[in-house]
Every structure is written in C-alpha cells, then in structure tokens.
Amino acid sequence: MWQIILGSVGFLLYFIYDINSIQKKNKFMQKFFAAGTILVVVSLLMELYLAWGQGHRSAGAMAGFGIGAVLFLVLLIYTLFFALPFEETYCEENKLRAAYTEGVYGLCRHPGVLWFAGAYLCMWGMFGGWRQGVYFLLMIFWNYLYIIFQDLWTFPRTFFNYNEYQKTTPFLIPNRESIRVCLCNIRKR
C-alpha cells in the first residue's frame, strides 16, 4: 500500500512541478521533479522487494521479463536524461524555447511513456499477481495522465513550436513516417 501512495505522490509532484514551471516559478518547487522521481523510484523498489517472494513464475520467465524490464529502463533513462539537453530541460528557469524533435522524440512526442509502460509491464510479468498488477497498472495510468497534461497544457506554453510538433509527430504510437524520421536522425549522429 505504501508503494502505491509514494508513487502516486511522486506523480502529483510532477504535476505541481509543471504548473510551477509555467505560472509561479517558485525556486523551491523547481525541486519537485527530482523529489517526484525519487518517490517513484522508491515506490518501485518497495514493490519489487515485496513482490520478490510472491512470484509464481519460472526462473526462465523471470529472467526473460527481467531482461525486457532492464532494456526498457535503459531506454527510459536515455530518453529522459540523455536524449534531451539536461540543464535546459530540468534545471534552468522555464523560458519559451523550441521543442526537441530529433532522435527518439521524432518517434513520438512522449517516447518515455512507451519505455516506462514496457518496463512496468515486464516487471509485472516477472511476478504476476493481481496485487502487483494494481501497482504497475496504476503507475502506468498516472504516467499517461501526466503526459496528456503536458501535451495539452505544459508543452504548448513551454515550446514555441509545439503546435507544429503536434501536427508532424504522433502523440504516443509511432507510425511509419515517425519511425523513418527517428532512424534518419540516429544515423546522422
């Protein structure tokens, strides 16, 4: 139960961080993104610890889902912290700037949600069980609500080219053209 509360509060802090970054610009609240991330990670570690002894999967299934979870987590970390200019994205005071549209951000506007959902579904697959499913699906749900909020409210106020980006790049599910754009950007590097 505590892991659900901590993870949910973590996502609430993300929402507050976004609202603050546009309206209030309170320096203390600029730390809410980091605090929210810590809470989400701690809640995940708690859930994994609690689920460890309750798994009903074979060692092979756990290993397969575990490898999938690690791959998706690597993609998530890359997408959120290395594919974007970190200082400008997470540390500087919010100012109107251009949306980053290259690499994985040419694939869809919110590729991190794909990797987050993939990682959480794989971790659920490692253990199975309805209780674990409630946790993992709820965290995916909060993340999905958060990106809807960002796509409709935060990002149009943050990025001067976001409306154009919305017209040219899929919201969440990549299409043939967006996959081509992503692969072309990766090849250029």
Side-chain angles (χ1 to χ4, degrees):
M1 178 68 162
W2 280 106
Q3 63 276 24
I4 289 175
I5 294 169
L6 290 177
S8 299
V9 169
F11 277 100
L12 177 62
L13 290 178
Y14 290 158
F15 281 94
I16 295 169
Y17 167 84
D18 275 28
I19 293 166
N20 178 67
S21 70
I22 302 298
Q23 293 184 339
K24 304 251 186 235
K25 298 185 175 145
N26 178 291
K27 291 221 184 264
F28 176 74
M29 289 183 184
Q30 286 177 337
K31 297 171 179 29
F32 280 18
F33 183 85
T37 301
I38 290 167
L39 289 177
V40 169
V41 169
V42 167
S43 80
L44 174 61
L45 294 174
M46 288 174 67
E47 180 61 36
L48 293 175
Y49 176 78
L50 293 171
W52 191 257
Q54 300 176 8
H56 304 292
R57 304 281 192 220
S58 69
M62 285 189 73
F65 280 117
I67 290 169
V70 168
L71 291 175
F72 279 117
L73 285 173
V74 167
L75 284 169
L76 177 64
I77 291 167
Y78 168 77
T79 299
L80 294 178
F81 300 109
F82 296 100
L84 294 168
F86 185 83
E87 279 292 318
E88 184 179 320
T89 304
Y90 297 110
C91 300
E92 291 180 4
E93 185 176 311
N94 200 344
K95 61 184 183 295
L96 199 61
R97 58 188 187 268
Y100 192 75
T101 61
E102 296 180 5
V104 292
Y105 289 95
L107 192 61
C108 66
R109 296 193 305 270
H110 303 280
V113 173
L114 297 176
W115 317 143
F116 183 93
Y120 274 54
L121 290 173
C122 284
M123 286 183 270
W124 181 23
M126 288 173 63
F127 304 106
W130 69 270
R131 192 190 59 73
Q132 291 84 4
V134 168
Y135 170 80
F136 288 116
L137 293 175
L138 183 61
M139 294 304 111
I140 292 168
F141 174 74
W142 289 140
N143 199 16
Y144 186 68
L145 283 183
Y146 181 52
I147 63 145
I148 290 172
F149 177 72
Q150 288 183 317
D151 204 70
L152 296 175
W153 191 81
T154 308
F155 291 165
R157 290 167 174 77
T158 304
F159 304 115
F160 65 81
N161 63 335
Y162 201 72
N163 289 333
E164 184 60 34
Y165 184 44
Q166 288 175 311
K167 292 175 188 171
T168 60
T169 308
F171 172 68
L172 191 58
I173 306 301
N175 59 32
R176 187 181 311 189
E177 178 61 20
S178 70
I179 292 169
R180 188 190 66 72
V181 167
C182 177
L183 292 175
C184 286
N185 285 327
I186 290 171
R187 284 189 209 129
K188 286 180 187 178
R189 292 181 184 186

mmCIF file with all atom_site columns, all heavy atoms in Angstrom, residues 86-97:
data_model
loop_
_atom_site.group_PDB
_atom_site.id
_atom_site.type_symbol
_atom_site.label_atom_id
_atom_site.label_alt_id
_atom_site.label_comp_id
_atom_site.label_asym_id
_atom_site.label_entity_id
_atom_site.label_seq_id
_atom_site.pdbx_PDB_ins_code
_atom_site.Cartn_x
_atom_site.Cartn_y
_atom_site.Cartn_z
_atom_site.occupancy
_atom_site.B_iso_or_equiv
_atom_site.pdbx_formal_charge
_atom_site.auth_seq_id
_atom_site.auth_comp_id
_atom_site.auth_asym_id
_atom_site.auth_atom_id
_atom_site.pdbx_PDB_model_num
ATOM 1   N N   . PHE A 1 86 ? 20.007 18.240 -20.751 1.00 0.00 ? 86 PHE A N   1
ATOM 2   C CA  . PHE A 1 86 ? 19.580 18.076 -19.361 1.00 0.00 ? 86 PHE A CA  1
ATOM 3   C C   . PHE A 1 86 ? 19.413 19.406 -18.626 1.00 0.00 ? 86 PHE A C   1
ATOM 4   O O   . PHE A 1 86 ? 18.380 19.655 -18.017 1.00 0.00 ? 86 PHE A O   1
ATOM 5   C CB  . PHE A 1 86 ? 20.568 17.184 -18.603 1.00 0.00 ? 86 PHE A CB  1
ATOM 6   C CG  . PHE A 1 86 ? 20.119 16.881 -17.200 1.00 0.00 ? 86 PHE A CG  1
ATOM 7   C CD1 . PHE A 1 86 ? 19.220 15.859 -16.962 1.00 0.00 ? 86 PHE A CD1 1
ATOM 8   C CD2 . PHE A 1 86 ? 20.572 17.625 -16.117 1.00 0.00 ? 86 PHE A CD2 1
ATOM 9   C CE1 . PHE A 1 86 ? 18.780 15.574 -15.671 1.00 0.00 ? 86 PHE A CE1 1
ATOM 10  C CE2 . PHE A 1 86 ? 20.140 17.352 -14.837 1.00 0.00 ? 86 PHE A CE2 1
ATOM 11  C CZ  . PHE A 1 86 ? 19.242 16.325 -14.619 1.00 0.00 ? 86 PHE A CZ  1
ATOM 12  N N   . GLU A 1 87 ? 20.434 20.247 -18.620 1.00 0.00 ? 87 GLU A N   1
ATOM 13  C CA  . GLU A 1 87 ? 20.373 21.507 -17.856 1.00 0.00 ? 87 GLU A CA  1
ATOM 14  C C   . GLU A 1 87 ? 19.180 22.354 -18.282 1.00 0.00 ? 87 GLU A C   1
ATOM 15  O O   . GLU A 1 87 ? 18.424 22.834 -17.448 1.00 0.00 ? 87 GLU A O   1
ATOM 16  C CB  . GLU A 1 87 ? 21.665 22.326 -18.055 1.00 0.00 ? 87 GLU A CB  1
ATOM 17  C CG  . GLU A 1 87 ? 22.822 21.904 -17.205 1.00 0.00 ? 87 GLU A CG  1
ATOM 18  C CD  . GLU A 1 87 ? 22.619 22.188 -15.729 1.00 0.00 ? 87 GLU A CD  1
ATOM 19  O OE1 . GLU A 1 87 ? 22.122 23.269 -15.365 1.00 0.00 ? 87 GLU A OE1 1
ATOM 20  O OE2 . GLU A 1 87 ? 22.952 21.303 -14.926 1.00 0.00 ? 87 GLU A OE2 1
ATOM 21  N N   . GLU A 1 88 ? 19.032 22.525 -19.586 1.00 0.00 ? 88 GLU A N   1
ATOM 22  C CA  . GLU A 1 88 ? 17.955 23.361 -20.106 1.00 0.00 ? 88 GLU A CA  1
ATOM 23  C C   . GLU A 1 88 ? 16.590 22.757 -19.797 1.00 0.00 ? 88 GLU A C   1
ATOM 24  O O   . GLU A 1 88 ? 15.627 23.466 -19.504 1.00 0.00 ? 88 GLU A O   1
ATOM 25  C CB  . GLU A 1 88 ? 18.118 23.518 -21.622 1.00 0.00 ? 88 GLU A CB  1
ATOM 26  C CG  . GLU A 1 88 ? 17.121 24.446 -22.252 1.00 0.00 ? 88 GLU A CG  1
ATOM 27  C CD  . GLU A 1 88 ? 17.350 24.585 -23.746 1.00 0.00 ? 88 GLU A CD  1
ATOM 28  O OE1 . GLU A 1 88 ? 18.511 24.662 -24.165 1.00 0.00 ? 88 GLU A OE1 1
ATOM 29  O OE2 . GLU A 1 88 ? 16.356 24.602 -24.475 1.00 0.00 ? 88 GLU A OE2 1
ATOM 30  N N   . THR A 1 89 ? 16.493 21.431 -19.825 1.00 0.00 ? 89 THR A N   1
ATOM 31  C CA  . THR A 1 89 ? 15.219 20.755 -19.634 1.00 0.00 ? 89 THR A CA  1
ATOM 32  C C   . THR A 1 89 ? 14.787 20.727 -18.185 1.00 0.00 ? 89 THR A C   1
ATOM 33  O O   . THR A 1 89 ? 13.624 20.978 -17.861 1.00 0.00 ? 89 THR A O   1
ATOM 34  C CB  . THR A 1 89 ? 15.292 19.317 -20.178 1.00 0.00 ? 89 THR A CB  1
ATOM 35  O OG1 . THR A 1 89 ? 15.688 19.371 -21.548 1.00 0.00 ? 89 THR A OG1 1
ATOM 36  C CG2 . THR A 1 89 ? 13.962 18.608 -20.062 1.00 0.00 ? 89 THR A CG2 1
ATOM 37  N N   . TYR A 1 90 ? 15.719 20.419 -17.259 1.00 0.00 ? 90 TYR A N   1
ATOM 38  C CA  . TYR A 1 90 ? 15.325 20.144 -15.877 1.00 0.00 ? 90 TYR A CA  1
ATOM 39  C C   . TYR A 1 90 ? 15.812 21.156 -14.851 1.00 0.00 ? 90 TYR A C   1
ATOM 40  O O   . TYR A 1 90 ? 15.295 21.180 -13.747 1.00 0.00 ? 90 TYR A O   1
ATOM 41  C CB  . TYR A 1 90 ? 15.810 18.755 -15.462 1.00 0.00 ? 90 TYR A CB  1
ATOM 42  C CG  . TYR A 1 90 ? 15.183 17.651 -16.275 1.00 0.00 ? 90 TYR A CG  1
ATOM 43  C CD1 . TYR A 1 90 ? 15.928 16.932 -17.191 1.00 0.00 ? 90 TYR A CD1 1
ATOM 44  C CD2 . TYR A 1 90 ? 13.843 17.345 -16.146 1.00 0.00 ? 90 TYR A CD2 1
ATOM 45  C CE1 . TYR A 1 90 ? 15.342 15.920 -17.956 1.00 0.00 ? 90 TYR A CE1 1
ATOM 46  C CE2 . TYR A 1 90 ? 13.248 16.340 -16.890 1.00 0.00 ? 90 TYR A CE2 1
ATOM 47  C CZ  . TYR A 1 90 ? 14.007 15.641 -17.792 1.00 0.00 ? 90 TYR A CZ  1
ATOM 48  O OH  . TYR A 1 90 ? 13.436 14.647 -18.538 1.00 0.00 ? 90 TYR A OH  1
ATOM 49  N N   . CYS A 1 91 ? 16.800 21.972 -15.180 1.00 0.00 ? 91 CYS A N   1
ATOM 50  C CA  . CYS A 1 91 ? 17.415 22.809 -14.152 1.00 0.00 ? 91 CYS A CA  1
ATOM 51  C C   . CYS A 1 91 ? 17.183 24.306 -14.333 1.00 0.00 ? 91 CYS A C   1
ATOM 52  O O   . CYS A 1 91 ? 17.047 25.025 -13.361 1.00 0.00 ? 91 CYS A O   1
ATOM 53  C CB  . CYS A 1 91 ? 18.922 22.541 -14.092 1.00 0.00 ? 91 CYS A CB  1
ATOM 54  S SG  . CYS A 1 91 ? 19.304 20.817 -13.701 1.00 0.00 ? 91 CYS A SG  1
ATOM 55  N N   . GLU A 1 92 ? 17.163 24.772 -15.557 1.00 0.00 ? 92 GLU A N   1
ATOM 56  C CA  . GLU A 1 92 ? 17.034 26.205 -15.781 1.00 0.00 ? 92 GLU A CA  1
ATOM 57  C C   . GLU A 1 92 ? 15.602 26.655 -15.581 1.00 0.00 ? 92 GLU A C   1
ATOM 58  O O   . GLU A 1 92 ? 14.660 25.883 -15.738 1.00 0.00 ? 92 GLU A O   1
ATOM 59  C CB  . GLU A 1 92 ? 17.487 26.559 -17.203 1.00 0.00 ? 92 GLU A CB  1
ATOM 60  C CG  . GLU A 1 92 ? 18.971 26.392 -17.416 1.00 0.00 ? 92 GLU A CG  1
ATOM 61  C CD  . GLU A 1 92 ? 19.388 26.749 -18.822 1.00 0.00 ? 92 GLU A CD  1
ATOM 62  O OE1 . GLU A 1 92 ? 18.542 27.199 -19.629 1.00 0.00 ? 92 GLU A OE1 1
ATOM 63  O OE2 . GLU A 1 92 ? 20.575 26.584 -19.116 1.00 0.00 ? 92 GLU A OE2 1
ATOM 64  N N   . GLU A 1 93 ? 15.462 27.947 -15.267 1.00 0.00 ? 93 GLU A N   1
ATOM 65  C CA  . GLU A 1 93 ? 14.133 28.525 -15.150 1.00 0.00 ? 93 GLU A CA  1
ATOM 66  C C   . GLU A 1 93 ? 13.442 28.387 -16.493 1.00 0.00 ? 93 GLU A C   1
ATOM 67  O O   . GLU A 1 93 ? 14.048 28.570 -17.546 1.00 0.00 ? 93 GLU A O   1
ATOM 68  C CB  . GLU A 1 93 ? 14.247 30.007 -14.758 1.00 0.00 ? 93 GLU A CB  1
ATOM 69  C CG  . GLU A 1 93 ? 12.914 30.652 -14.503 1.00 0.00 ? 93 GLU A CG  1
ATOM 70  C CD  . GLU A 1 93 ? 13.068 32.073 -14.032 1.00 0.00 ? 93 GLU A CD  1
ATOM 71  O OE1 . GLU A 1 93 ? 13.856 32.324 -13.114 1.00 0.00 ? 93 GLU A OE1 1
ATOM 72  O OE2 . GLU A 1 93 ? 12.382 32.940 -14.609 1.00 0.00 ? 93 GLU A OE2 1
ATOM 73  N N   . ASN A 1 94 ? 12.176 28.061 -16.448 1.00 0.00 ? 94 ASN A N   1
ATOM 74  C CA  . ASN A 1 94 ? 11.437 27.812 -17.671 1.00 0.00 ? 94 ASN A CA  1
ATOM 75  C C   . ASN A 1 94 ? 11.320 29.085 -18.495 1.00 0.00 ? 94 ASN A C   1
ATOM 76  O O   . ASN A 1 94 ? 10.916 30.124 -18.013 1.00 0.00 ? 94 ASN A O   1
ATOM 77  C CB  . ASN A 1 94 ? 10.049 27.277 -17.319 1.00 0.00 ? 94 ASN A CB  1
ATOM 78  C CG  . ASN A 1 94 ? 9.420  26.568 -18.483 1.00 0.00 ? 94 ASN A CG  1
ATOM 79  O OD1 . ASN A 1 94 ? 9.848  26.701 -19.612 1.00 0.00 ? 94 ASN A OD1 1
ATOM 80  N ND2 . ASN A 1 94 ? 8.389  25.818 -18.180 1.00 0.00 ? 94 ASN A ND2 1
ATOM 81  N N   . LYS A 1 95 ? 11.688 28.968 -19.756 1.00 0.00 ? 95 LYS A N   1
ATOM 82  C CA  . LYS A 1 95 ? 11.518 30.063 -20.702 1.00 0.00 ? 95 LYS A CA  1
ATOM 83  C C   . LYS A 1 95 ? 11.072 29.452 -22.016 1.00 0.00 ? 95 LYS A C   1
ATOM 84  O O   . LYS A 1 95 ? 11.301 28.269 -22.267 1.00 0.00 ? 95 LYS A O   1
ATOM 85  C CB  . LYS A 1 95 ? 12.809 30.849 -20.859 1.00 0.00 ? 95 LYS A CB  1
ATOM 86  C CG  . LYS A 1 95 ? 13.978 30.031 -21.380 1.00 0.00 ? 95 LYS A CG  1
ATOM 87  C CD  . LYS A 1 95 ? 15.236 30.878 -21.419 1.00 0.00 ? 95 LYS A CD  1
ATOM 88  C CE  . LYS A 1 95 ? 16.401 30.119 -22.006 1.00 0.00 ? 95 LYS A CE  1
ATOM 89  N NZ  . LYS A 1 95 ? 16.863 28.989 -21.270 1.00 0.00 ? 95 LYS A NZ  1
ATOM 90  N N   . LEU A 1 96 ? 10.410 30.236 -22.832 1.00 0.00 ? 96 LEU A N   1
ATOM 91  C CA  . LEU A 1 96 ? 9.928  29.725 -24.107 1.00 0.00 ? 96 LEU A CA  1
ATOM 92  C C   . LEU A 1 96 ? 11.112 29.301 -24.969 1.00 0.00 ? 96 LEU A C   1
ATOM 93  O O   . LEU A 1 96 ? 12.059 30.061 -25.151 1.00 0.00 ? 96 LEU A O   1
ATOM 94  C CB  . LEU A 1 96 ? 9.097  30.800 -24.807 1.00 0.00 ? 96 LEU A CB  1
ATOM 95  C CG  . LEU A 1 96 ? 8.155  30.312 -25.895 1.00 0.00 ? 96 LEU A CG  1
ATOM 96  C CD1 . LEU A 1 96 ? 7.135  29.337 -25.310 1.00 0.00 ? 96 LEU A CD1 1
ATOM 97  C CD2 . LEU A 1 96 ? 7.433  31.477 -26.537 1.00 0.00 ? 96 LEU A CD2 1
ATOM 98  N N   . ARG A 1 97 ? 11.074 28.064 -25.445 1.00 0.00 ? 97 ARG A N   1
ATOM 99  C CA  . ARG A 1 97 ? 12.156 27.527 -26.262 1.00 0.00 ? 97 ARG A CA  1
ATOM 100 C C   . ARG A 1 97 ? 11.573 26.528 -27.253 1.00 0.00 ? 97 ARG A C   1
ATOM 101 O O   . ARG A 1 97 ? 10.400 26.214 -27.204 1.00 0.00 ? 97 ARG A O   1
ATOM 102 C CB  . ARG A 1 97 ? 13.220 26.887 -25.381 1.00 0.00 ? 97 ARG A CB  1
ATOM 103 C CG  . ARG A 1 97 ? 12.709 25.777 -24.491 1.00 0.00 ? 97 ARG A CG  1
ATOM 104 C CD  . ARG A 1 97 ? 13.788 25.320 -23.511 1.00 0.00 ? 97 ARG A CD  1
ATOM 105 N NE  . ARG A 1 97 ? 13.389 24.163 -22.763 1.00 0.00 ? 97 ARG A NE  1
ATOM 106 C CZ  . ARG A 1 97 ? 12.800 24.165 -21.593 1.00 0.00 ? 97 ARG A CZ  1
ATOM 107 N NH1 . ARG A 1 97 ? 12.528 25.304 -21.012 1.00 0.00 ? 97 ARG A NH1 1
ATOM 108 N NH2 . ARG A 1 97 ? 12.472 23.053 -20.982 1.00 0.00 ? 97 ARG A NH2 1
#
